[in-house]
Amino acid sequence: MIRTRVIATAASVPEQIITNDDLARIVDTSDEWISQRTGIKERRISSGENTSVFVSDVAKQLMEKAEVTADSIDLIIVASVTPDYGTPSLACMVQKEIGASNAVAFDVVAACSGFIFALSIADKYIRSSGYENAIIIGGETLSKVIDWSDRSTCVLFGDGAGGAYLEKAQDGGILFEEIGSDGKMYEILTAGYTACSNVFNENPAGVDPLWYAHMDGREVFKFATKNVIKSLNKVMEENNITQEDIKYFIPHQANVRIVEVISKKLDIPFEKFYMNIERFGNTSSASIPIALSELDEKGLLERGDQIILTGFGGGMTWGTMLITW
Ligand code: COA
């Protein structure tokens, strides 16, 4: 059977590290509060580089690791809620940067589930058309949509990008997915609103307060635990597997307490969830591929291992994917 296989992974994050103590100097918070409520100790914050810098770096690393040339790339998809422009897409900027002149390139918006949604799309292209390969990246500079005077959101997020190079294969790879959306709940997590201001109306020009990330933390917490648990259960049930068949669960890194609830409710040992939130915070669409790339880089995955990626995010959206490495 034709499958889509992950051949290489890569990540790229800003050099600048902002610790909880650094944040405690600009808002009324503390290392203790942030660590206990979220598990975050520090995050990477851009010193001015825009999202295209990190996603292009990931694409270059992927080509080098997979030992492929730019003109052989068929498809580039970038997931992001913080692109440089409304148009062009980040994927087209990556295409120019790496010289992948034969690729089709476009972006997807599914917030923190974005990488899984992009993988899902690439999997369909590769299995049902002449596409042989794809570069899939999740990348963000969330720091530009954060209100740095709002302690309830500014402590949570970070910048960076991660991605995977995929190829058509005869076995293994992406085995099963469960993705979903619930637009009714979109208002519990928003960012990047731009008002329609023009010379024919009275909307004030300039940055709208809704440009900044707004979140009902408790509602998002409930949404995340409920939907990720349901989604993980469905994937394991429908594939007739248990947590024992899975080497690692790679969850979206939003809050360590969300993962603790999922681990407890599903009776999956916490150590099976790969976590790096303490070093990166929540990087939205980049969080799963950065974690996957770390696992890969550390040599913790062997070909044939089964892994599960699972995430949730704005929209609201969620997605879970079963992969044979
Ligand atoms: N430092 C210190 N105190 C803070 C604070 C901070 N950075 N942020 C909020 N507080 C205060 C609040 O003002 C509140 O004070 P009050 O009781 O005097 O009103 C108190 O801490 C509790 O706030 P609350 O929002 O109830 O805390 P919480 O335990 O729900 O934790 C989150 C807040 C955001 C960490 C948690 O709700 C969460 O992680 N939700 C999910 C968010 C998420 O996953 N978002 C990304 C989706 S992809």
Side-chain angles (χ1 to χ4, degrees):
M1 188 189 280
I2 295 176
R3 297 272 191 206
T4 304
R5 191 135 206 200
V6 179
I7 303 297
T9 60
S12 177
V13 296
E15 277 182 17
Q16 178 172 240
I17 296 173
I18 300 296
T19 64
N20 291 346
D21 287 337
D22 292 330
L23 290 176
R25 282 189 275 277
I26 60 169
V27 286
D28 181 13
T29 190
S30 64
D31 175 45
E32 193 191 358
W33 193 96
I34 303 169
S35 305
Q36 284 180 4
R37 302 278 179 132
T38 70
I40 302 167
K41 300 295 278 184
E42 59 186 43
R43 70 286 292 142
R44 300 300 182 103
I45 298 294
S46 169
S47 305
E49 310 94 318
N50 217 331
T51 310
S52 59
V53 172
F54 303 108
V55 296
S56 297
D57 184 33
V58 168
K60 286 176 193 162
Q61 290 183 51
L62 289 172
M63 288 200 316
E64 211 177 298
K65 288 183 179 177
E67 298 180 356
V68 292
T69 56
D71 58 2
S72 71
I73 306 296
D74 290 333
L75 177 66
I76 302 169
I77 308 178
V78 179
S80 182
V81 292
T82 49
D84 296 20
Y85 294 94
T87 185
S89 65
L90 284 165
C92 283
M93 295 175 83
V94 168
Q95 177 182 29
K96 178 185 177 200
E97 196 60 33
I98 63 175
S101 49
N102 297 316
V104 168
F106 58 90
D107 287 2
V108 299
V109 177
C112 310
S113 315
F115 183 71
I116 290 178
F117 278 47
L119 273 184
S120 162
I121 297 166
D123 183 40
K124 313 287 180 299
Y125 270 80
I126 287 176
R127 284 194 294 118
S128 63
S129 71
Y131 291 69
E132 294 294 322
N133 60 54
I135 283 179
I136 305 302
I137 301 170
E140 309 286 357
T141 43
L142 292 163
S143 58
K144 67 188 179 191
V145 294
I146 297 300
D147 174 354
W148 290 99
S149 65
D150 175 9
R151 69 176 183 177
S152 70
T153 51
C154 78
V155 301
L156 303 174
F157 299 100
D159 298 335
Y165 171 75
L166 314 174
E167 263 180 15
K168 190 175 274 181
Q170 290 311 314
D171 55 13
I174 296 171
L175 300 182
F176 190 85
E177 68 175 39
E178 199 280 317
I179 65 175
S181 312
D182 185 355
K184 285 195 304 298
M185 299 190 75
Y186 83 86
E187 279 162 320
I188 67 172
L189 178 54
T190 62
Y193 180 78
T194 45
C196 179
S197 157
N198 63 47
V199 293
F200 301 105
N201 72 31
E202 290 175 356
N203 277 342
V207 175
D208 190 283
L210 281 174
W211 168 258
Y212 298 110
H214 283 271
M215 185 176 67
D216 181 335
R218 289 189 175 189
E219 284 304 312
V220 174
F221 199 103
K222 276 196 271 178
F223 173 88
T225 45
K226 182 175 147 211
N227 286 287
V228 172
I229 288 171
K230 232 162 80 182
S231 186
L232 278 169
N233 260 335
K234 191 166 174 197
V235 169
M236 290 193 282
E237 271 168 32
E238 294 205 9
N239 289 279
N240 218 4
I241 54 174
T242 70
Q243 60 87 10
E244 285 171 9
D245 300 305
I246 303 300
K247 179 95 169 267
Y248 282 106
F249 292 82
I250 299 144
H252 168 47
Q253 315 276 318
N255 186 329
V256 76
R257 289 192 294 139
I258 291 177
V259 179
E260 282 166 359
V261 170
I262 296 166
S263 149
K264 211 166 161 192
K265 283 262 164 69
L266 290 180
D267 208 11
I268 302 172
F270 184 75
E271 310 70 61
K272 275 200 162 185
F273 290 89
Y274 184 79
M275 299 299 296
N276 61 13
I277 191 172
E278 68 284 0
R279 284 176 288 122
F280 298 112
N282 179 348
T283 56
S284 190
S285 66
S287 98
I288 291 175
I290 291 175
L292 183 63
S293 163
E294 277 197 357
L295 262 178
D296 190 16
E297 187 82 9
K298 288 180 181 167
L300 294 171
L301 294 174
E302 284 171 33
R303 290 291 168 195
D305 284 344
Q306 305 231 82
I307 60 171
I308 283 182
L309 316 181
T310 188
F312 64 92
M316 297 299 286
T317 56
W318 69 89
T320 299
M321 205 162 247
L322 172 65
I323 296 177
T324 299
W325 192 244

